[in-house]
Amino acid sequence: MKVSKLKKFDAAEHLRTPEARAEYLSLVLADGDPAEVRDALNVVARAQGMSEVAKAAGVTREGLYKTLGEGGNPEFATILRVIGALGIRLSAQAKEKKKKIA
């Protein structure tokens, strides 16, 4: 089979449960890269249903695609509304201290 005929991998198709979506976001948030967080929110929103998430977040579906798409730069308030619409709660943890090598 030719590589060009293979179906493109879409993580959204594999995030079927709220727990899986939350775990995926937790892993990406731990890395701390803003573009990756935006992309992960896009994946999770698509996994849950973009229209449903947009409605719950109080934005249009098209606006949500644009905000979470490549090159999007969502405001923090929008991120918080989207996370709430996804049924996910953010929490904070103390960062582990790096051990000094003697």
Side-chain angles (χ1 to χ4, degrees), residues 16-88:
R16 294 184 177 104
T17 66
E19 294 79 14
R21 294 188 287 267
E23 181 65 23
Y24 175 68
L25 277 177
S26 290
L27 292 170
V28 174
L29 285 165
D31 194 35
D33 182 286
E36 287 182 12
V37 171
R38 184 201 64 232
D39 291 344
L41 284 170
N42 184 313
V43 168
V44 172
R46 287 187 297 106
Q48 190 163 324
M50 196 64 92
S51 295
E52 174 188 326
V53 173
K55 183 177 180 180
V59 298
T60 65
R61 184 179 61 82
E62 295 80 10
L64 190 57
Y65 272 112
K66 183 177 178 181
T67 297
L68 298 180
E70 191 175 327
N73 189 16
E75 292 183 9
F76 191 64
T78 303
I79 294 295
L80 290 177
R81 286 196 318 265
V82 169
I83 287 173
L86 292 170
I88 294 173

